[in-house]
Amino acid sequence: MARIAVIGAGMGAMAAAARLAVAGHRVTVYERSESYGGSVGRYAREGFAFDTGPTLLHLPAVYRDLFVKTGKEPLERCVEMAQVDPASRHLFADGTAVSLPNASRAGVVAALDGALGSGAGAAWGAFLDRAREAWDRSRRPLLEEPLRPDWQVLGRDPYPALRRRRLLRPARQADTVAGIGALELADPRLAALLDGYALSYGLDPAHAPAAAALLPYMEETFGSWYVSGGMRALARAVYERCLARKVEFVLGAEVVRVVEKDGRAAGVELADGTVAEADRVVLGARPWAGLVPGQELWPKGGVAPLPRPGQGVVPGRFLVLLSLRGARPADAAHRTLVHPADGAAERAAVFGGRLAERPTVTVVRPDDPSTRPDDAHEAVTLTATVAPHGAVDWTDPAVRERYADVLIDTAAAAVPGIRERLLHAEVRTPAETAAETGAEGGGVPAPALAGADGRYLHAANLTGLPGLYAAGGWSHPGGGLAHAGMSGALVAGLIVEGDGFRGSR
């Protein structure tokens, strides 16, 4: 039995902790804040409650596997989950709208043909067929294995882009998300739909490799799931599973460095000077300068957690949590995206460290009694991807208020009469994310992607210091609830089975 110190109580870190405890190790989690869950938070006021992180779960099999492997009680006995239908509704700048059914390829094709015109569904369906091929090519090395020593193989884009022949000029093919929209989808509304998927994960469509097609494929194939009580209920279930497996949590304990002894990780030092010895250390947070003094954690030639190309910043999220009078309509979609007329201007602003005047706004309206004081009220969350704190001063009250008004005005297209119904608006920005999670600028990590010469990969789970491992959204295979859970499984496998572990088969 080894003593294992885990830095951070995010979802990936807790997933690793539960698995390691079941394997017989003595696990202690050190969390700088006073609670668990990382970015999976909850805000409550006067009977209203809101998710402040992810609002839907994709690839629920990741957490089903976690609960099966860590005890006899399956996930569905710990939380109540249901697929939302439609999976999403989209409002475009030209006034057209489409609702996409959950996990139904035929339904999506029919809906797009009906809303956007004949042929739109076939174009999107053909795109998803190519995305499936990219999924099949990259799924295992990208998601189910620790980052390989020969990670360069993931530098090749697995998306089989169409070649467009041109008279007297070389053929063209898409190598970015925006390129797919321009060369393969043709209809600007389909391009906006695809851009919206990338942007929601914090990816710049103009630079993200075509392999980002895996993201809409994943959502539309495996479905979008809502957890009753919000995603915080899922975080609580994972936390309670850890406690049941005798994982110890030390909250309000900030780790300032990893202790090295004889060339190995030997414990952690806390801000108060306390040193906790350990045989292994799991880093479940974004690496920071001085984590291991004088140690290169990802040696030259490896993959380090650096900002992705084409974006000098890692974007964050701007949320407006709305308490509304009046009942939620029975036919309201759980999630609606309001797309701007000029997506390129939005991308240039967000990834250039500025405010986008016309952002893509996601409107979330859960049909969940736990989110509201009674059925005569409704809780609505508005979200936009924005430049992080620092590039924009998100502590400036005038900036916060003005941008909240932009989101509310945009959301009126999805929630008629929203201002007349408004009781209270709570604003949360990357400044709050930075303060609560310690992530620089409040940036939110995106999932890892193949292609672009490996520049969209994340830090390897094995570090350059023996005995120190990396889990969570800032390490392989990247951000998002499902990916974080996968990282926990990979790190647990490396510790239990040794550094040669190549994933479950």
Side-chain angles (χ1 to χ4, degrees):
M1 178 179 69
R3 297 168 301 173
I4 298 176
V6 178
I7 304 172
M11 297 298 280
M14 290 197 296
R19 291 174 182 271
L20 290 167
V22 166
H25 298 296
R26 192 171 73 202
V27 183
T28 303
V29 177
Y30 298 91
E31 167 57 44
R32 66 188 297 271
S33 73
E34 297 297 334
S35 189
Y36 55 85
S39 63
V40 184
R42 191 82 162 165
Y43 174 81
R45 172 178 173 156
E46 299 175 358
F48 293 91
F50 309 85
D51 282 322
T52 59
T55 59
L56 289 171
L57 176 64
H58 307 292
L59 280 180
V62 172
Y63 287 91
R64 289 188 178 117
D65 182 70
L66 170 64
F67 277 72
V68 167
K69 297 291 177 58
T70 59
K72 297 181 179 179
E73 193 175 24
L75 176 61
E76 277 79 3
R77 289 188 186 175
C78 301
V79 297
E80 181 181 343
M81 298 193 311
Q83 287 185 303
V84 298
D85 201 9
S88 58
R89 184 168 179 253
H90 297 264
L91 304 180
F92 299 102
D94 67 352
T96 56
V98 61
S99 293
L100 302 182
N102 203 335
S104 170
R105 172 71 67 86
V108 167
V109 168
L112 290 172
D113 276 341
L116 307 186
S118 178
W124 187 260
F127 156 70
L128 287 182
D129 285 339
R130 294 188 291 277
R132 179 183 60 196
E133 188 172 338
W135 170 269
D136 291 340
R137 290 175 177 177
S138 61
R139 174 180 58 86
R140 183 161 183 81
L142 186 66
L143 301 177
E144 298 177 355
E145 296 180 349
L147 194 62
R148 304 160 50 146
D150 61 339
W151 57 265
Q152 290 85 352
V153 299
L154 288 171
R156 297 190 292 272
D157 198 317
Y159 180 77
L162 297 179
R163 290 181 61 83
R164 298 295 187 188
R165 298 186 181 279
R166 300 183 297 172
L167 185 63
L168 303 178
R169 290 184 294 173
R172 292 182 62 194
Q173 61 185 121
D175 59 359
T176 65
V177 170
I180 293 175
L183 297 175
E184 297 183 6
L185 298 179
D187 189 316
R189 294 165 297 183
L190 291 181
L193 176 62
L194 178 57
D195 284 357
Y197 278 105
L199 194 63
S200 69
Y201 284 97
L203 295 163
D204 182 354
H207 293 92
L214 272 64
L215 301 175
Y217 173 80
M218 182 179 72
E219 290 194 21
E220 295 192 17
T221 300
F222 303 107
S224 299
W225 299 73
Y226 178 72
V227 176
S228 296
M231 286 303 127
R232 184 65 180 175
L234 176 63
R236 183 173 60 251
V238 176
Y239 171 71
E240 291 175 349
R241 178 54 56 90
C242 286
L243 293 179
R245 297 300 168 260
K246 308 303 181 185
V247 174
E248 180 183 357
F249 284 79
V250 184
L251 302 177
E254 182 178 3
V255 173
V256 295
R257 71 181 181 95
V258 172
V259 176
E260 178 186 359
K261 183 178 180 181
D262 298 329
R264 293 187 57 85
V268 296
E269 180 181 341
L270 307 182
D272 64 4
T274 301
V275 172
E277 295 182 350
D279 302 301
R280 306 278 196 285
V281 176
V282 176
L283 174 63
R286 188 177 188 179
W288 62 89
L291 173 65
V292 185
Q295 174 71 46
E296 180 66 43
L297 294 184
W298 287 275
K300 186 176 181 180
V303 178
L306 299 173
R308 291 173 293 282
Q311 49 182 85
V313 295
V314 177
R317 305 292 185 269
F318 185 95
L319 283 74
V320 186
L321 314 177
L322 301 178
S323 301
L324 303 183
R325 62 171 63 89
R328 177 186 185 274
D331 62 349
H334 179 96
R335 177 178 56 163
T336 299
L337 276 75
V338 184
H339 298 273
D342 190 349
E346 177 187 19
R347 298 193 302 266
V350 170
F351 298 100
R354 307 187 307 277
L355 289 175
E357 294 300 324
R358 297 289 184 269
T360 300
V361 176
T362 300
V363 182
V364 175
R365 309 176 73 181
D367 186 11
D368 183 348
S370 74
T371 65
R372 53 187 183 256
D374 54 52
D375 287 342
H377 295 85
E378 182 182 9
V380 175
T381 300
L382 313 181
T383 307
T385 298
V386 295
H389 182 51
V392 173
D393 182 4
W394 288 116
T395 62
D396 185 330
V399 173
R400 295 163 67 96
E401 182 177 353
R402 181 171 73 84
Y403 214 61
D405 284 341
V406 169
L407 265 66
I408 293 172
D409 289 342
T410 302
V415 187
I418 190 170
R419 284 202 177 273
E420 291 74 16
R421 297 177 58 194
L422 183 59
L423 293 171
H424 178 262
E426 174 72 18
V427 174
R428 295 179 62 86
T429 76
E432 282 77 29
T433 303
E436 294 172 5
T437 69
E440 182 181 356
V444 179
L449 298 174
D453 296 324
R455 295 190 301 272
Y456 283 74
L457 299 175
H458 287 263
N461 308 112
L462 280 173
T463 76
L465 178 64
L468 176 62
Y469 304 82
W474 295 104
S475 61
H476 180 75
L481 279 173
H483 291 71
M486 294 175 197
S487 78
L490 295 176
V491 166
L494 287 166
I495 292 175
V496 172
E497 299 190 24
D499 292 354
F501 172 72
R502 298 312 309 160
S504 301
R505 298 187 181 274

